[in-house]
Amino acid sequence: MASHSPQIYIPILLLSLLITTTTTALQPQINSNSVLVALLDSRYTELSELIEKALLLQTLEQTLTQHNLTIFAPNNQALNHNLDPEFKQFLLQPRNLKSLQNLLLFHIVPSRIHSSHWPAKHKTLCNNNNQFLSLTSTSSNDIFVGRVKVTRPDDITRPDGLIHGIERFLIPRSVQEDFNSRRSLRSISAVLPEGAPEVDPRTNRLKKPAQVPVGAPPVLPVYDALAPGPSLAPAPAPGPGGPRHHFDGESQVKDFIQTLLHYGGYNEMADILVNLTSLASEMGRLVSEGYVITVLAPNDEAMAKLTTDQLSEPGAPEQIMYYHIIPEYQTEESMYNSVRRFGKVNYDTLRLPHKVVAEEADGSVKFGKGEGSAYLFDPDIYTDGRISVQGIDGVLFPVEEEESKVVKKVPTTGVSKVVAKPRRGKLMEVTCSLLGPFTHLSTCH
């Protein structure tokens, strides 16, 4: 067995040498005098780096085995100063590799073209739509490739090709169209995708405003978006435009308050929204964050019937107003259609957990029950798609409070007690007295 081992080893060694020699012979050999090597060691190093990033070195090496190459090369200074930064960024993005390859191959012609060969027309290595380069000259002996001037004709000459220096890049139409398409798509993207919104577990509020497309429902339920509780101290108004710049809730609230004043008969409602700034600010913030609301606005006659007892509790004016705000967008038509179809409809209010019941009555919509009910009196005073204001002829209270009221009977005596009708402005007097320790209001006298 030992005598046969050298005879087996020698053929194996010869076979391995043959495979190595064949593999080496199949690879294109580029000598040190090649035009590609000259490109790496010249004033065109920026272009050579782009060719390497575009993964074109192997393609060009294979082309040199069959053809000479003529390269129209902008120098480093031209690339740094004459190229649009946005376009350069576009070329360097990995997804745009094909555009970068087409751009570079558009500068290379698979034949040997001296400056004495102008004018002519040659096909480039760019296979996209059979791209051609037109070589022209002027009477002053200036030569151009396309519309770009050749600044250094026959700058580098090698046995397998040559390099002409040009003043700037040649941009083929296909690459320009790709760039314009990408730029248009980026400008069309109104909302950039971001991560899921973070919610603070202590307050159940968003840590950062969520990026929500216009018209989409907000991330949090409206009750989670409300402040922890009503406060008598004025709160700062939100900044213009809201956190996502989609809705300007502050301006919309001011607009509907101004509409109430011009409409007439709702001055009390407008005054309380102006002076209880925490309420107006809360409404504006909700609208800015994408929520919609319907305000059931009691008219002046209804507001004037409020008593001191009903307003004496801390935060009572705001609690009354919260019960008149529905976190939906409803118009007279939508509410009337609902009560006609379903008989009774329970609407949520911003005063948890109380709801306001609505039903059809006398061809209109009636809210509440019994003596504490109110009719839809002035429909659609203000509707802008985010805020709807519906005028009613009474002040609403939750059913539980109505049932818990104790009616005090006046003792019957020989003299009848005359009770004066509360004058308009009673609500504002009580409200100002409650706000006195916290803030100075110029509107209170």
Side-chain angles (χ1 to χ4, degrees):
M1 189 70 181
S3 60
H4 294 286
S5 57
Q7 296 176 1
I8 297 174
Y9 175 75
I10 292 174
I12 293 176
L13 179 60
L14 291 175
L15 180 62
S16 64
L17 290 174
L18 179 62
I19 293 173
T20 304
T21 306
T22 305
T23 304
T24 306
L26 291 176
Q27 295 179 349
Q29 297 295 314
I30 303 300
N31 58 49
S32 59
N33 201 27
S34 170
V35 67
L36 293 181
V37 176
L39 187 65
L40 296 172
D41 185 20
S42 64
R43 60 176 62 87
Y44 309 109
T45 53
E46 294 278 353
L47 180 64
S48 64
E49 290 180 8
L50 286 178
I51 292 176
E52 186 175 357
K53 289 179 181 179
L55 309 177
L56 290 176
L57 277 178
Q58 186 176 0
T59 301
L60 296 179
E61 289 172 357
Q62 292 176 350
T63 305
L64 280 176
T65 60
Q66 302 175 0
H67 307 280
N68 276 201
L69 294 182
T70 298
I71 302 175
F72 298 95
N75 60 30
N76 296 341
Q77 186 177 2
L79 286 182
N80 292 327
H81 296 284
N82 298 336
L83 192 62
D84 181 11
E86 189 177 356
F87 182 68
K88 189 173 184 179
Q89 183 180 4
F90 162 81
L91 293 175
L92 296 179
Q93 292 177 352
R95 63 178 179 178
N96 300 322
L97 176 63
K98 193 64 178 177
S99 296
L100 177 60
Q101 290 177 340
N102 288 335
L103 174 71
L104 297 174
L105 292 176
F106 187 64
H107 291 73
I108 303 174
V109 175
S111 60
R112 192 178 188 87
I113 307 171
H114 286 280
S115 58
S116 59
H117 296 162
W118 260 257
K121 189 174 184 180
H122 294 274
K123 184 178 179 181
T124 67
L125 289 180
C126 180
N127 294 324
N128 197 347
N129 297 329
N130 294 324
Q131 300 283 1
F132 287 86
L133 284 180
S134 296
L135 311 181
T136 58
S137 59
T138 63
S139 56
S140 57
N141 294 328
D142 292 331
I143 57 176
F144 289 82
V145 52
R147 296 183 179 181
V148 178
K149 183 178 180 180
V150 179
T151 55
R152 288 179 174 270
D154 304 331
D155 190 22
I156 298 175
T157 303
R158 290 293 184 269
D160 55 1
L162 50 86
I163 299 174
H164 300 287
I166 58 177
E167 61 181 356
R168 57 183 173 84
F169 254 136
L170 301 163
I171 311 297
R173 180 181 299 177
S174 60
V175 176
Q176 184 66 52
E177 290 175 353
D178 291 343
F179 175 58
N180 293 339
S181 174
R182 291 289 184 186
R183 185 164 50 183
S184 299
L185 288 175
R186 186 176 62 180
S187 64
I188 291 172
S189 301
V191 179
L192 297 178
E194 293 187 0
E198 298 183 46
V199 179
D200 190 341
R202 297 171 300 175
T203 61
N204 201 27
R205 300 286 299 278
L206 291 177
K207 291 183 178 179
K208 295 181 179 180
Q211 296 294 334
V212 181
V214 177
V219 177
L220 289 180
V222 65
Y223 302 108
D224 293 338
L226 283 171
S231 172
L232 290 177
R244 290 182 297 278
H245 305 287
H246 294 161
F247 309 107
D248 189 351
E250 181 185 14
S251 296
Q252 289 174 274
V253 170
K254 288 180 179 179
D255 190 26
F256 97 74
I257 294 174
Q258 192 72 16
T259 303
L260 285 177
L261 293 172
H262 286 295
Y263 191 86
Y266 293 88
N267 295 328
E268 294 280 357
M269 182 71 178
D271 286 343
I272 195 172
L273 290 173
V274 169
N275 290 281
L276 292 180
T277 55
S278 61
L279 176 61
S281 299
E282 188 72 19
M283 294 171 64
R285 185 181 61 80
L286 288 174
V287 175
S288 292
E289 292 184 2
Y291 298 92
V292 293
I293 59 175
T294 297
V295 181
L296 303 178
N299 58 18
D300 287 343
E301 290 187 20
M303 298 289 276
K305 295 177 183 179
L306 290 172
T307 64
T308 304
D309 293 337
Q310 292 171 320
L311 298 169
S312 59
E313 293 294 327
E318 289 161 312
Q319 290 292 345
I320 293 174
M321 291 299 101
Y322 275 122
Y323 187 64
H324 289 73
I325 301 176
I326 299 173
E328 303 175 22
Y329 186 79
Q330 297 288 345
T331 61
E332 180 212 13
E333 182 180 4
S334 64
M335 288 190 291
Y336 185 67
N337 289 339
S338 297
V339 296
R340 284 198 62 186
R341 180 177 181 182
F342 301 108
K344 289 186 179 181
V345 178
N346 289 316
Y347 291 109
D348 291 324
T349 68
L350 292 188
R351 184 177 178 182
L352 282 175
H354 303 293
K355 299 177 182 291
V356 60
V357 61
E359 59 184 329
E360 182 187 8
D362 301 328
S364 181
V365 181
K366 184 177 78 171
F367 301 95
K369 294 181 179 179
E371 295 182 358
S373 62
Y375 284 85
L376 182 55
F377 190 70
D378 289 316
D380 298 339
I381 296 175
Y382 181 89
T383 52
D384 67 353
R386 310 300 303 177
I387 301 175
S388 172
V389 181
Q390 306 294 326
I392 59 177
D393 63 354
V395 179
L396 302 173
F397 290 92
V399 177
E400 295 82 353
E401 293 185 7
E402 289 288 343
E403 293 176 350
S404 64
K405 286 183 181 178
V406 178
V407 180
K408 296 182 180 179
K409 295 184 179 180
V410 179
T412 57
T413 59
V415 180
S416 60
K417 185 175 181 181
V418 179
V419 180
K421 180 181 179 181
R423 64 183 178 85
R424 289 171 58 180
K426 181 74 173 178
L427 176 63
M428 285 311 305
E429 291 181 7
V430 177
T431 302
C432 291
S433 65
L434 292 175
L435 287 172
F438 299 96
T439 184
H440 297 286
L441 299 175
S442 59
T443 58
C444 299
H445 301 284

